[in-house]
Amino acid sequence: MKKTLYSLMLSDEVVAEIDRLAHRMGTNRSNLINQILAEHVDLVTPERRINDIFSAMEQLIAPSRELVPFFAPNNLTMSLKSSLEYKYRPTVKYEVELYRGDSDYLGELTVIFRTQSRALIQSMTEFFRIWKSIEDAHLRPMMDEGAPRYALYDGKFIRSIALPRRDCTSDELAGVISEYIKLFDSMMKGYLSGRLDARDVEACYFSQLRRADILI
């Protein structure tokens, strides 16, 4: 959504209250005023849509014992924490960033892990590569252009979130992103614990993909 600079005459008292409220909400004066005016005229801004998606994701994921969501309103990023089934219960953090618009992708998912265990780092790296190869084999042929991109750094795995082929509601996007993260988390834990091998992960992924009507 394009933004243009406008000059407005506002009272000092109003601006002071806006600034205090913006500070509490973790945003700035311009964004808050834009949000207030958009709500007044019933216009859904990209920021409001992202807020709605994250709010719905929080409600969908909160009942789970596997993932703990952390969401601050008016933020473009949502975090989720998960404990691995490993010796000292190391944690993995998922960060979902959604773009305001004017992008070829809806956003990106970042998986962040911190561990000193070489064995765990090697196993997680293996899983990330297996996951990418599975999606290359099954998801990419169904998406043509706009298929996910991947990056793997020290302690970080990044996957772009593709734009769905059709317009989706905030609840629909919240549902498909939540289900994707839950599947990824479940498969990763199963692989790291030794309960699942690469073929098991691929079978579970393919089974869920066949039922999906929204691809990201």
Side-chain angles (χ1 to χ4, degrees):
M1 185 176 290
K2 181 181 177 182
K3 292 188 177 180
T4 305
L5 179 64
Y6 294 95
S7 178
L8 298 174
M9 296 292 292
L10 302 172
S11 70
D12 292 342
E13 291 80 3
V14 169
V15 172
E17 290 301 321
I18 287 291
D19 286 346
R20 276 193 282 269
L21 180 57
H23 178 73
R24 289 199 301 270
M25 296 175 65
T27 186
N28 58 51
R29 180 193 300 170
S30 295
N31 283 337
L32 180 56
I33 291 175
N34 188 75
Q35 178 180 325
I36 292 171
L37 293 176
E39 291 177 355
H40 185 73
V41 298
D42 199 27
L43 176 68
V44 178
T45 63
E47 291 81 6
R48 178 179 171 184
R49 181 170 170 81
I50 291 172
N51 193 79
D52 290 344
I53 293 171
F54 285 157
S55 295
M57 286 180 61
E58 185 177 41
Q59 295 179 10
L60 290 170
I61 295 175
S64 170
R65 296 182 179 181
E66 299 296 326
L67 292 160
V68 180
F70 296 91
F71 162 58
N74 304 299
N75 200 316
L76 301 181
T77 304
M78 178 180 188
S79 299
L80 306 99
K81 285 189 177 181
S82 178
S83 296
L84 297 178
E85 302 169 12
Y86 208 72
K87 300 174 184 177
Y88 49 93
R89 303 290 291 181
T91 60
V92 171
K93 182 168 75 169
Y94 299 93
E95 286 189 353
V96 181
E97 179 184 0
L98 297 181
Y99 304 148
R100 289 188 176 93
D102 299 326
S103 174
D104 295 332
Y105 293 91
L106 181 65
E108 69 179 28
L109 170 66
T110 302
V111 185
I112 303 171
F113 57 99
R114 296 286 184 266
T115 178
Q116 300 299 319
S117 170
R118 290 182 177 273
L120 180 56
I121 292 174
Q122 181 178 352
S123 295
M124 294 188 75
T125 301
E126 289 174 357
F127 175 79
F128 296 149
R129 288 173 175 164
I130 289 170
W131 190 264
K132 178 185 182 302
S133 68
I134 291 172
E135 293 206 315
D136 284 343
H138 299 291
L139 179 62
R140 185 173 294 275
M142 300 173 64
M143 302 189 72
D144 299 323
E145 297 181 0
R149 297 176 300 184
Y150 307 84
L152 179 60
Y153 305 102
D154 291 338
K156 186 179 294 186
F157 174 69
I158 302 173
R159 180 207 190 266
S160 60
I161 302 174
L163 284 168
R165 292 179 176 176
R166 64 173 176 84
D167 290 336
C168 300
T169 66
S170 297
D171 286 344
E172 285 177 325
L173 290 175
V176 70
I177 296 172
S178 298
E179 288 302 315
Y180 182 88
I181 295 174
K182 287 192 288 187
L183 176 65
F184 184 97
D185 188 67
S186 175
M187 295 297 98
M188 181 175 64
K189 289 176 179 177
Y191 182 81
L192 295 177
S193 68
R195 295 195 312 272
L196 304 176
D197 60 19
R199 291 185 178 180
D200 297 325
V201 174
E202 183 174 18
C204 290
Y205 179 91
F206 183 66
S207 177
Q208 180 156 318
L209 182 64
R210 290 178 61 188
R211 299 193 301 270
D213 60 346
I214 301 173
L215 302 179
I216 58 168

